[in-house]
Amino acid sequence: ALAAKFFSRDEVRKHTSKEKRVWVTKGDGVYDITEFVDVHPGGERILLAAGYSIDPFWAIFSVHNSAETLELLEEYRIGNLLPKDDDPSYNALKDDTKAITQALERLFKNDPVRDPQLMTRSERPCNAETPPEKLTDDFVTPNNLFFVRNHLPVPEMDAHVEIEFDAPWMPDTVKVSLEDLKRKYEHLDVMTTLQCAGNRRKEMHDAKPVKGLQWTQGAISNAVWTGVPLKKVIEDVCGPIPKEYEDKLQHVHFHGAEGYGASIPIAKALDPRGDVLITFKMNGTELPRDHGGPVRALVPGHVAARSVKWVSKITLAEDESESHWQRRDYKGFGPSKTLEESKYEDSLSIQEMPVQSCITVPQPGQVVDVNQRAVDSRDEKSVAVKGYAWSGGGRGIVRVDVSGDGGKTWIDAKLRRPGQQQGREWAWTHWEANVPIPENSLNGGKGSVEIVCKAVDTSYNEQPEKMESVYNVRGVLVSAWHRVKVEGIL
Ligand code: MTE
Ligand code: MO
């Protein structure tokens, strides 16, 4: 190892530009990252940390928290910070928090204003869910209440943006303007539900801790998206796939203008019934910036993480996207694996999602009137319940089973399906039921009742009963029966 060089905090603060060189600290380490600035996937934003500790930035941009990133950083190490007692500038510069907070705020200063009704899980970057009762108020979620999941600041993208296309046989990338796309291709409306891989993570976390944002049940929403078919655009811009690539070509990558990226299997992208769009309208209005405006890749039936917002480049490739979010995130692991034991390279990227359902009304702990009669007119007490159900891959919902006794007896819910073609049921199903409540669960006219729901999709896949059986340390694909405990009053 190199003989350690020591730097005062004052010295580190002087290195804040490419001309003066760019230094950052992490823990006690001092790093000269000047050469890295141009290849930083997040671009020049990295300069905001220049002269400071990158820890608070990495706390926000959790994409950095991996062994690989740490290893990469180590390559730029030039020495250590002086121990604080030996550093005359320690006290003078100790209070960095304010400068760092301001730097972070600057990163997000152009983020759009959001509807205060959204339930914020993190402010910077913005992660906010649709309030539970709003999930089933309207079949199509209004734009202002559609959940928001951003990994980075919202980029500023011009309406005249060009999208770059690349394929291994193309001598050069080809740029096509959004205006040309809109002009040249038929516009399609596709109603699609988007669900985050981490929807309902908090329930899993409450059973046993997992890593990730604590979403309840609102990291899912439904909208009508207008766009042009990606398949047609690829065929025109990239031409027919040469014979020697037919078998090799497996993936289509989407690059987001702010640094995010993901890919989907090419079979989905080129499926004429797959309805993958380059979309620019949401519920009849211009695509809002939070949802990818002016232009987004829309991948119906797949985990929302693949519907890349602010799409600036589309690449046909043999391998999956190299993006962190394709390779090192959004994968499922076995129930007994710890974070350290979870090997991302051995696990499959989430694409289509499993069958899901949730109770949106009533909410946990709510006091409910159980005096209504069950719809099937048996002489029982009942409670009015509402919810959503959805499955990936265009699979529709054939049935939602609801129980008022914790899962011993069940009734069929009344469904409101999207009315889409079989195999292209991209949108959710809403359901309601008057669920019978056993008298004996209401001791002396009052008591707690557990309402449970589970859905069955058109492949007759059914939600698993127990959270333990689907537990995974990243808290993704949470699909166990949804249980809501309420207080019933006669
Ligand atoms: N695309 C870009 N460019 N940046 C992002 O952070 N987040 C992904 C996906 N596409 C993301 C993105 C994830 S994880 C989800 S769940 C959805 O966008 C959220 O879409 P929404 O914010 O429109 O609800
Ligand atoms: Mo997500």
Side-chain angles (χ1 to χ4, degrees):
L2 289 170
K5 281 186 90 174
F6 289 95
F7 303 99
S8 71
R9 283 145 186 86
D10 208 10
E11 177 66 23
V12 174
R13 285 311 173 278
K14 290 177 188 151
H15 297 274
T16 55
S17 65
K18 285 192 201 167
E19 296 71 46
K20 298 185 235 165
R21 304 205 63 83
V22 182
W23 289 12
V24 296
T25 67
K26 173 156 182 62
D28 288 332
V30 177
Y31 305 84
D32 179 342
I33 58 163
T34 317
E35 308 308 327
F36 181 69
V37 173
D38 286 337
V39 294
H40 179 231
E44 297 231 329
R45 274 197 295 265
I46 198 171
L47 291 176
L48 284 166
Y52 289 105
S53 162
I54 52 173
D55 287 312
F57 294 87
W58 283 20
I60 288 204
F61 302 118
S62 50
V63 54
H64 298 93
N65 296 323
S66 71
E68 285 84 358
T69 316
L70 278 173
E71 251 171 58
L72 182 70
L73 181 68
E74 279 314 309
E75 292 174 24
Y76 297 94
R77 191 162 188 149
I78 52 170
N80 286 339
L81 280 172
L82 279 171
K84 65 179 187 188
D85 294 336
D86 300 341
D87 184 354
S89 59
Y90 180 77
N91 278 321
L93 292 170
K94 184 169 63 175
D95 190 18
D96 279 346
T97 16
K98 207 169 147 199
I100 291 175
T101 310
Q102 284 169 351
L104 281 168
E105 273 168 8
R106 246 178 291 143
L107 279 178
F108 291 93
K109 71 174 193 306
N110 293 321
D111 263 28
V113 176
R114 282 123 191 162
D115 194 303
Q117 293 176 85
L118 286 170
M119 291 160 39
T120 303
R121 298 285 166 239
S122 94
E123 212 149 345
R124 283 188 290 266
C126 176
N127 289 293
E129 57 185 294
T130 309
E133 67 285 359
K134 303 285 180 192
L135 291 164
T136 41
D137 270 3
D138 297 298
F139 196 73
V140 172
T141 317
N143 290 355
N144 57 316
L145 296 176
F146 200 101
F147 84 100
V148 178
R149 203 291 178 239
N150 293 337
H151 293 83
L152 298 162
V154 177
E156 302 235 41
M157 249 180 129
D158 196 280
H160 305 289
V161 64
E162 291 182 314
I163 301 174
E164 222 177 312
F165 289 83
D166 196 10
W169 59 87
M170 288 164 69
D172 292 302
T173 65
V174 172
K175 288 184 174 173
V176 185
S177 74
L178 179 54
E179 284 132 333
D180 277 348
L181 288 175
K182 287 183 185 169
R183 203 169 27 238
K184 284 194 192 149
Y185 299 93
E186 61 175 323
H187 291 193
L188 295 180
D189 287 342
V190 177
M191 186 174 19
T192 296
T193 293
L194 290 182
Q195 180 180 227
C196 181
N199 192 30
R200 299 180 60 199
R201 183 180 283 127
K202 185 174 186 305
E203 274 169 70
M204 187 171 275
H205 182 81
D206 289 346
K208 186 178 163 188
V210 295
K211 185 175 166 247
L213 286 165
Q214 297 292 297
W215 297 114
T216 62
Q217 60 187 138
I220 184 169
S221 300
N222 184 44
V224 178
W225 311 82
T226 307
V228 296
L230 176 67
K231 173 182 155 64
K232 293 258 169 63
V233 180
I234 288 179
E235 283 167 355
D236 270 11
V237 178
C238 305
I241 300 172
K243 263 245 153 343
E244 68 267 35
Y245 284 101
E246 262 173 15
D247 292 334
K248 280 196 272 181
L249 210 63
Q250 294 292 327
H251 304 273
V252 176
H253 301 189
F254 303 119
H255 310 256
E258 94 289 27
Y260 182 86
S263 61
I264 58 168
I266 198 159
K268 171 69 177 174
L270 299 184
D271 179 357
R273 289 161 178 266
D275 293 326
V276 179
L277 298 183
I278 300 176
T279 178
F280 37 80
K281 268 183 164 182
M282 185 177 177
N283 296 330
T285 65
E286 221 173 277
L287 192 59
R289 285 183 64 221
D290 255 339
H291 302 292
V295 62
R296 171 178 204 168
L298 185 81
V299 188
H302 282 223
V303 66
R306 310 299 169 218
S307 287
V308 175
K309 307 193 264 193
W310 316 293
V311 66
S312 58
K313 186 173 178 188
I314 297 175
T315 308
L316 276 54
E318 294 179 22
D319 297 313
E320 272 192 326
S321 162
E322 300 283 339
S323 156
H324 167 90
W325 294 280
Q326 189 72 26
R327 301 272 178 118
R328 317 282 313 164
D329 205 349
Y330 301 120
K331 295 188 175 192
F333 299 110
S336 66
K337 290 275 188 297
T338 62
L339 209 51
E340 292 70 36
E341 292 163 352
S342 299
K343 296 266 172 292
Y344 280 99
E345 55 279 15
D346 295 344
S347 182
L348 185 72
S349 303
I350 303 170
Q351 295 284 355
E352 292 182 358
M353 294 208 77
V355 59
Q356 173 72 290
S357 72
C358 265
I359 296 157
T360 56
V361 178
Q363 283 291 298
Q366 211 172 305
V367 177
V368 296
D369 172 10
V370 294
N371 275 313
Q372 303 151 61
R373 258 181 171 224
V375 257
D376 59 5
S377 86
R378 277 177 296 176
D379 196 21
E380 282 169 304
K381 301 295 175 188
S382 80
V383 57
V385 181
K386 269 197 201 183
Y388 65 75
W390 184 71
S391 189
R395 289 177 287 276
I397 296 298
V398 294
R399 209 177 69 230
V400 176
D401 302 320
V402 195
S403 169
D405 57 10
K408 289 194 223 43
T409 61
W410 302 86
I411 60 156
D412 284 24
K414 196 171 116 220
L415 306 184
R416 179 186 166 184
R417 296 196 183 87
Q420 293 170 311
Q421 261 181 30
Q422 197 174 6
R424 295 166 102 175
E425 290 176 86
W426 314 123
W428 59 16
T429 287
H430 276 175
W431 55 267
E432 41 183 79
N434 272 20
V435 187
I437 302 297
E439 289 275 354
N440 60 5
S441 70
L442 299 169
N443 281 327
K446 204 175 170 233
S448 76
V449 174
E450 190 180 49
I451 307 163
V452 187
C453 75
K454 64 177 168 86
V456 180
D457 74 13
T458 47
S459 299
Y460 283 100
N461 292 309
E462 210 168 299
Q463 290 175 254
E465 174 177 352
K466 291 196 165 71
M467 204 51 98
E468 295 94 298
S469 69
V470 284
Y471 175 84
N472 64 93
V473 70
R474 289 306 318 279
V476 291
L477 305 163
V478 181
S479 60
W481 295 359
H482 190 221
R483 297 165 187 275
V484 171
K485 269 213 176 83
V486 293
E487 298 301 316
I489 294 187
L490 276 175

